[in-house]
Amino acid sequence: MKITEENVVQQIKNRNEKAIAFIIQTYGSLLTAIIKRHVHYNEHNEKIGPSISIK
């Protein structure tokens, strides 16, 4: 079965590995940007986290 925008979610639910490849091919650059933003955010919070004290 061909993976399309319309059936990709169902194919992921069916554990079709090709659906994940489709997501990476189609949205790879967007996923990369989101992941980098979250990694940067988490690294920033880990650096300032110990210096913040809650009383």
Side-chain angles (χ1 to χ4, degrees):
M1 171 177 264
K2 183 175 178 173
I3 309 297
T4 65
E5 295 263 346
E6 290 77 26
N7 70 7
V8 70
V9 173
Q10 186 60 47
Q11 291 302 310
I12 291 171
K13 288 180 180 180
N14 292 343
R15 300 179 182 264
N16 184 344
E17 292 181 26
K18 291 181 181 179
I20 298 298
F22 175 85
I23 293 291
I24 292 169
Q25 254 185 340
T26 305
Y27 300 105
S29 58
L30 176 61
L31 290 169
T32 301
I34 292 168
I35 291 167
K36 284 181 179 180
R37 190 174 327 130
H38 283 277
V39 168
H40 175 72
Y41 174 80
N42 288 335
E43 287 174 355
H44 177 72
N45 281 345
E46 288 174 4
K47 289 177 185 173
I48 66 167
S51 64
I52 298 173
S53 62
I54 300 173
K55 296 180 181 183

